[in-house]
Amino acid sequence: MNDVVARLEQVRNNIASAEDEASRTAGSVTLVAVSKTFEAAAIVPVIEAGQRIFGENRVQEAQGKWPALKEAYPGVELHLIGPLQSNKAKEAVALFDVIETVDREKIAAELAKEIARQGKAPRLYVQVNTGSEAQKAGVDPREAVAFVNRCRDAHGLAIEGLMCIPPIDENPGPHFALLEKLAHEAGLDKLSMGMSGDYELAIAFGATSVRVGSAIFGER
Ligand SMILES: *Cc1c(COP(=O)(O)O)cnc(C)c1O
């Protein structure tokens, strides 16, 4: 068996164990396989092994490989998990099924415009900068609930959940707990949190989807 397929299988098993340990329903956590920096040839075996949900962090890179893969493998679902510039909203709405990184008014407005224009509405998550890190994308936790409400009320956008990337050098647990609390306050039940190093912990804190790259595809 291909290495990448063996690692995918391992991640799936770990997710199932983490669901079980957290008394979560089997199959309630969605695996988003993060294929950024990997070429189509490396992604195909993972699709053929049954994985259908993928994450990319750059619009332009995704445009280079995913239109052909989506054509070849109907049913593939693509998530944007990296920062979105407002001048890329058009391309992002056209290509992605889920955009996880809505984090400012201008993006919300551009997405609303493109969704109306294209008649195609990706599902949307608001990214929260749970560590309030200066260099990191995402809304400040204190602004998150109000921002979700403004997306709905001012821009007519249906927000499905929240997403976070905890600070690299901190215990992620409190960040996962904060995201869960904010989602509850905002009336949302989807939580995108957990990466290769901490997806099992994220599941214990209520993640409904985990974004796993290197544990499947190998080091970048
Ligand atoms: C790259 C990336 C991931 C996956 O990271 P790994 O540590 O390789 O699993 C998850 N989420 C986001 C936002 C990323 O940019």
Side-chain angles (χ1 to χ4, degrees), residues 34 36 57 81-82 163 165 194-197 211-215 218 220:
V34 177
K36 66 187 186 197
N57 70 335
I81 60 170
M163 176 270 216
I165 311 169
M195 311 185 358
S196 289
R211 309 178 307 269
V212 179
S214 48
R220 289 182 293 271

Side-chain angles (χ1 to χ4, degrees), residues 54-63 66 70 77-82 84 88-100 120-124:
F54 291 85
E56 288 281 343
N57 70 335
R58 290 172 198 273
V59 175
Q60 209 162 342
E61 182 188 339
Q63 278 182 308
W66 281 101
K70 279 187 143 192
E77 177 179 300
L78 196 59
H79 292 223
L80 178 63
I81 60 170
L84 177 58
K88 288 277 195 307
K90 179 180 171 192
E91 288 85 349
V93 168
L95 181 61
F96 290 92
D97 303 288
V98 181
I99 296 174
E100 299 200 10
K120 172 180 185 289
R123 284 140 53 206
L124 303 174

Side-chain angles (χ1 to χ4, degrees), residues 14-28:
N14 292 346
I15 289 172
S17 302
E19 286 172 340
D20 187 47
E21 268 167 48
S23 302
R24 308 263 317 264
T25 307
S28 59

Side-chain angles (χ1 to χ4, degrees), residues 60-132:
Q60 209 162 342
E61 182 188 339
Q63 278 182 308
K65 54 190 176 185
W66 281 101
L69 285 171
K70 279 187 143 192
E71 175 120 359
Y73 298 95
V76 159
E77 177 179 300
L78 196 59
H79 292 223
L80 178 63
I81 60 170
L84 177 58
Q85 308 305 324
S86 51
N87 63 359
K88 288 277 195 307
K90 179 180 171 192
E91 288 85 349
V93 168
L95 181 61
F96 290 92
D97 303 288
V98 181
I99 296 174
E100 299 200 10
T101 50
V102 182
D103 69 349
R104 54 196 191 283
E105 206 71 42
K106 190 169 179 210
I107 287 295
E110 283 298 318
L111 288 172
K113 200 171 85 187
E114 282 305 324
I115 287 168
R117 230 175 48 86
Q118 299 184 30
K120 172 180 185 289
R123 284 140 53 206
L124 303 174
Y125 284 62
V126 165
Q127 182 177 354
V128 182
N129 183 1
T130 56
S132 301

Side-chain angles (χ1 to χ4, degrees), residues 156-168:
L157 295 174
I159 301 297
E160 183 172 293
L162 300 182
M163 176 270 216
C164 75
I165 311 169
I168 196 106

